[in-house]
Amino acid sequence: MSSTPSPSSNGDSSPAVAIVTSIVGAIVVIAVTYFILRCMLIRMRLRYGDGRRASGDPEQPTATVPATTLDSRIGTEPVEKFLKDILKEKPMRFTPQDLENFTQNYGQVLGSGGFGVVYKGQFLNGLPMAVKLLNSAMSKRAEEQFVAEIGTIGRTYHINLVKLYGFCFDKSVKALVYEYMENGSLDKYLFNDDQRIEWGKLHEIAVGTAKGIRYLHEECQQKIVHYDIKPANVLLTANFTPKVADFGLAKFCDREGISSVTTLTGARGTPGYAAPELWMPIPVTHKCDVYSFGMLLFEILGRRRNLSVLGTEQSQELEWFPLLVWTKFEEGNMESIISSCGIGEKDREKAERMCQVALWCVQYKPEERPAMNSVVRMLEGEQEIVPPTHPFHYMTSVSASSVSGITSGTAVTDSTGIDDSNSSSVLERPLI
């Protein structure tokens, strides 16, 4: 008698098949997930690096992370990179060996001045820099300016302020490391007939410079007074974006109260640009920068130095451009100024605004000068300009000798308008 297979024999195999299928499926899912995670990890390593850096890179080196913990860092790598970028905003301290490597043993000179020589260099990642190597025997004044540079520009960041990457303070080497500015300083485009840029771009440079000063006065946690605004201290990037530089004379001051008035131990600034109060025993405020910016505006307007010598060797007289602008403005004859400056019809309105803003900035009394926020708005046409009052009414008589005196004795400066003690010539002046 043949036996009939029990129906339970096939039913017993069904749970086993289900278990095997589940295990295989789980293994496949785990394998695929692991593969995806490894691909993401490799991609992020290629994008952000492995955290180790060579000497001279602005980022700080990080310890090597064990392979067993790398997977857990997939979600934190972007945050780590962000935090490193934030830390890079602070100036770094470099060694003398770093500077030699950056500059290839100081191979390319950019310029020189009373406090040292400026060299071109670059980080290991190719980012260019300017290294100002200071004289080893620093005077007390040079030390004060070294500290002022780091203490002011080292704490700020703005598109219209030069960036300080770091410094070196060693027994044998003292230096400041800045971002490299491809087009040098503004003065060579204002006072050199061989290097001219269109006036519309000059207007953009004026607005950008004003925004940089506005940031120092009104947007920093502590107000910063620059004290030496002039064309030589406005540097230009490859696309002519202006950046205010040289904070060696800068000082902090509070925003309100008595502390908003600074106490000076000696005259500051450059003759021809320095506000009258800088040469007198009276309180000094941030409005001295406004005056200097006004003098800068006149030179941008005319693409010439404010003080020029006219006539022949036998018969010479001095012409002070700011006074000439006021005279024509008072006569209602701004057209003659604009035409003589070679400014086209398309820029006429901007030029007229710049004339009036400059006249307001150089008012004799500091309290009558506008704040830099108003200066920016007026230059950009966002704020109506009230006709300026006479800024030079304190000049009782107008003559060549009196004009020379008002501009603070041009004889003590060289042809670049910079104090001889700090510079030798327009070709040798440092770019920073």
Side-chain angles (χ1 to χ4, degrees):
M1 183 174 178
S2 60
S3 60
T4 303
S6 173
S8 63
S9 63
N10 288 333
D12 293 342
S13 63
S14 296
V17 171
I19 293 173
V20 171
T21 302
S22 299
I23 294 174
V24 171
I27 293 174
V28 171
V29 171
I30 293 172
V32 171
T33 302
Y34 179 79
F35 177 75
I36 292 174
L37 291 175
R38 293 298 297 179
C39 289
M40 291 176 62
L41 177 61
I42 292 173
R43 182 179 179 183
M44 295 186 75
R45 281 177 177 169
L46 291 175
R47 183 174 180 180
Y48 299 118
D50 64 358
R52 292 172 295 177
R53 315 209 60 206
S55 172
D57 198 308
E59 291 189 27
Q60 296 290 342
T62 59
T64 303
V65 180
T68 55
T69 65
L70 284 174
D71 290 344
S72 65
R73 293 188 56 187
I74 291 175
T76 62
E77 285 282 357
V79 178
E80 290 288 347
K81 182 177 184 298
F82 169 76
L83 294 176
K84 289 178 183 177
D85 289 340
I86 291 297
L87 291 174
K88 285 194 298 183
E89 298 301 323
K90 297 181 179 179
M92 292 186 62
R93 183 165 189 164
F94 299 111
T95 66
Q97 185 60 47
D98 287 334
L99 300 187
E100 289 184 9
N101 294 335
F102 294 157
T103 61
Q104 295 186 1
N105 202 25
Y106 304 105
Q108 184 177 351
V109 177
L110 296 177
S112 63
F115 293 132
V117 182
V118 181
Y119 298 90
K120 185 178 180 181
Q122 67 177 31
F123 289 106
L124 298 182
N125 61 8
L127 181 68
M129 68 173 75
V131 179
K132 181 194 285 187
L133 189 64
L134 306 175
N135 294 332
S136 56
M138 294 178 67
S139 64
K140 180 176 177 57
R141 181 183 176 193
E143 287 183 2
E144 290 175 351
Q145 296 194 7
F146 178 84
V147 172
E149 286 269 0
I150 299 172
T152 53
I153 196 63
R155 299 181 183 180
T156 60
Y157 180 78
H158 189 272
I159 190 173
N160 296 119
L161 300 180
V162 70
K163 181 175 177 59
L164 177 69
Y165 289 137
F167 61 92
C168 176
F169 190 75
D170 185 80
K171 184 177 181 180
S172 58
V173 177
K174 298 173 182 63
L176 295 165
V177 181
Y178 302 90
E179 64 178 315
Y180 175 67
M181 306 296 286
E182 293 85 350
N183 279 316
S185 55
L186 174 61
D187 55 343
K188 73 179 182 181
Y189 295 96
L190 296 180
F191 312 137
N192 189 343
D193 292 334
D194 296 330
Q195 300 191 66
R196 291 281 186 173
I197 54 180
E198 62 175 8
W199 196 87
K201 176 62 68 173
L202 287 175
H203 181 268
E204 293 177 11
I205 290 172
V207 173
T209 304
K211 289 180 178 179
I213 303 171
R214 178 180 67 181
Y215 175 82
L216 296 174
H217 289 183
E218 304 175 19
E219 298 171 19
C220 289
Q221 185 174 5
Q222 259 191 307
K223 186 184 299 179
I224 298 176
V225 185
H226 187 280
Y227 287 113
D228 202 18
I229 301 296
K230 59 184 178 182
N233 288 339
V234 176
L235 305 186
L236 305 172
T237 65
N239 63 352
F240 290 95
T241 298
K243 293 179 182 278
V244 179
D246 199 341
F247 286 73
L249 301 180
K251 288 188 68 174
F252 286 106
C253 66
D254 293 336
R255 298 197 170 278
E256 305 293 341
I258 298 176
S259 296
S260 64
V261 177
T262 60
T263 302
L264 303 180
T265 57
R268 294 189 177 220
T270 300
Y273 302 96
E277 61 267 25
L278 286 172
W279 306 92
M280 301 177 183
I282 59 177
V284 175
T285 69
H286 63 287
K287 291 296 185 73
C288 66
D289 285 347
V290 179
Y291 182 96
S292 299
F293 179 73
M295 287 299 173
L296 170 63
L297 283 184
F298 284 121
E299 294 189 327
I300 289 176
L301 176 70
R303 285 181 279 197
R304 51 163 284 182
R305 295 191 183 281
N306 283 333
L307 186 66
S308 58
V309 180
L310 304 178
T312 63
E313 292 184 3
Q314 291 75 24
S315 176
Q316 292 184 346
E317 63 179 46
L318 301 178
E319 179 183 80
W320 196 41
F321 188 60
L323 182 59
L324 178 63
V325 171
W326 165 255
T327 301
K328 297 301 181 182
F329 174 79
E330 193 176 30
E331 294 172 354
N333 188 18
M334 288 303 301
E335 176 61 31
S336 63
I337 288 290
I338 294 172
S339 299
S340 66
C341 294
I343 300 172
E345 185 63 30
K346 67 175 183 177
D347 295 317
R348 175 175 178 174
E349 182 183 351
K350 293 179 180 178
E352 289 182 351
R353 285 204 305 268
M354 185 177 289
C355 283
Q356 295 187 65
V357 173
L359 289 169
W360 270 120
C361 289
V362 298
Q363 292 292 312
Y364 182 72
K365 294 181 179 180
E367 61 271 19
E368 295 179 355
R369 303 168 198 158
M372 287 306 300
N373 184 53
S374 294
V375 170
V376 171
R377 289 173 55 81
M378 288 188 289
L379 286 175
E380 292 185 323
E382 297 179 357
Q383 179 175 323
E384 184 180 354
I385 305 177
V386 177
T389 57
H390 194 341
F392 311 120
H393 59 81
Y394 57 92
M395 297 173 61
T396 56
S397 61
V398 180
S399 65
S401 59
S402 64
V403 169
S404 178
I406 290 298
T407 55
S408 303
T410 308
V412 301
T413 64
D414 64 11
S415 61
T416 68
I418 295 179
D419 193 316
D420 284 328
S421 63
N422 295 340
S423 177
S424 52
S425 73
V426 68
L427 297 177
E428 295 179 338
R429 185 171 56 262
L431 299 181
I432 295 295

